[in-house]
Amino acid sequence: MIYRMHVVKGLFQPGTSLYQLQKAEAFSGIGLKLILLYLLSFIIFAASTYFGIGTETYSGTITERTNEEFEAGKLLLLGGRLVLSLLDTTLFIWFAAFVFWLCLNVDYIKAVIVQMIVFSIYLAEQAITSLVLVLFDLNQASNPFSFGVISQYFIRNEYWNHFFGAMTLFQFAAISLLYYYLKNLTGRNKYLTLTVILVVYVITWLFTALTAYIEVPVLLRRWF
């Protein structure tokens, strides 16, 4: 059977998509869908940077710089965010699939396909969250879809607020869908499957919190 890549179908008809994926011996349409996902990620990252999402600390230094320095810094930030979008997409799809192949003995190309489907949830999250943060003038740690709002009442450490801010309802939906696919594609114990998935996501949240926590102005002073 030839599995034809349909991200939307894999998202909203997981039972049908899983059955076809289990029976698949060949695959088609993956390259075009990959390009589309990279392009959407690129656009969403660019749009969020344009509206100041994730660059709040740098925007606060506008009075400390000349107009030329500030605009040059914005271009540097935009370039860095666009590179980050490429790295983010690559790690999410290709590297995570490698981890699942290595730890769960899932066919690598099938793991890539599953990650592409799950990545669509991530893109939807980025688009919706960016819109909400801009409309309500919130920072990432105060994302209403995350646990960051609650953590700020109990934790004063900014890093851990960003960590819990990275834990969103969208992320748990992605974990649930990923677990559904992988537990049926691997012969490994379901608890091991869930553990591997959770470890991957915890590492992702830790890294996301670190990138959000780092003071952008401190880094840019090395350049200007």
Side-chain angles (χ1 to χ4, degrees):
M1 175 185 290
I2 298 177
Y3 180 88
R4 291 177 173 79
M5 185 68 207
H6 294 287
V7 174
V8 176
K9 182 178 179 181
L11 187 61
F12 293 103
Q13 298 180 18
T16 301
S17 183
L18 173 63
Y19 175 78
Q20 294 174 343
L21 200 55
Q22 288 174 318
K23 302 296 182 180
E25 297 176 349
F27 308 90
S28 67
I30 296 177
L32 182 60
K33 299 301 189 304
L34 269 172
I35 293 173
L36 180 61
L37 290 176
Y38 270 96
L39 181 60
L40 288 174
S41 177
F42 193 85
I43 292 173
I44 292 172
F45 267 76
S48 65
T49 302
Y50 176 80
F51 287 108
I53 304 299
T55 63
E56 295 87 356
T57 55
Y58 180 69
S59 299
T61 66
I62 187 171
T63 58
E64 303 174 11
R65 304 175 185 281
T66 65
N67 186 60
E68 291 76 13
E69 289 177 338
F70 187 75
E71 292 301 321
K74 284 173 60 178
L75 288 176
L76 182 61
L77 278 174
L78 178 60
R81 293 277 291 175
L82 294 181
V83 171
L84 181 62
S85 77
L86 298 176
L87 180 62
D88 193 49
T89 305
T90 299
L91 291 175
F92 192 104
I93 294 176
W94 298 100
F95 181 73
F98 174 78
V99 173
F100 298 141
W101 167 78
L102 185 66
C103 298
L104 301 176
N105 197 32
V106 177
D107 184 86
Y108 183 67
I109 191 63
K110 292 183 179 181
V112 168
I113 289 172
V114 171
Q115 282 301 102
M116 289 172 64
I117 294 171
V118 174
F119 189 65
S120 64
I121 298 178
Y122 175 76
L123 290 180
E125 175 188 16
Q126 293 299 307
I128 294 171
T129 301
S130 295
L131 180 61
V132 171
L133 295 183
V134 170
L135 290 177
F136 294 96
D137 193 24
L138 301 172
N139 59 32
Q140 291 174 306
S142 299
N143 178 1
F145 302 110
S146 75
F147 290 91
V149 177
I150 299 175
S151 72
Q152 291 178 58
Y153 286 99
F154 304 99
I155 302 174
R156 297 302 177 188
N157 185 286
E158 187 178 351
Y159 174 82
W160 290 110
N161 284 329
H162 281 296
F163 172 78
F164 286 105
M167 298 172 58
T168 67
L169 299 177
F170 290 94
Q171 296 282 309
F172 284 103
I175 289 172
S176 299
L177 184 63
L178 182 59
Y179 175 67
Y180 172 78
Y181 274 104
L182 293 184
K183 76 173 182 178
N184 290 291
L185 290 174
T186 180
R188 300 295 176 86
N189 183 283
K190 63 180 181 179
Y191 297 109
L192 174 62
T193 302
L194 182 59
T195 299
V196 172
I197 293 173
L198 290 177
V199 168
V200 169
Y201 271 82
V202 168
I203 293 174
T204 300
W205 295 332
L206 289 169
F207 179 75
T208 300
L210 179 62
T211 58
Y213 176 74
I214 293 174
E215 290 290 329
V216 175
V218 173
L219 298 179
L220 289 179
R221 285 191 187 101
R222 297 178 179 274
W223 295 85
F224 300 100

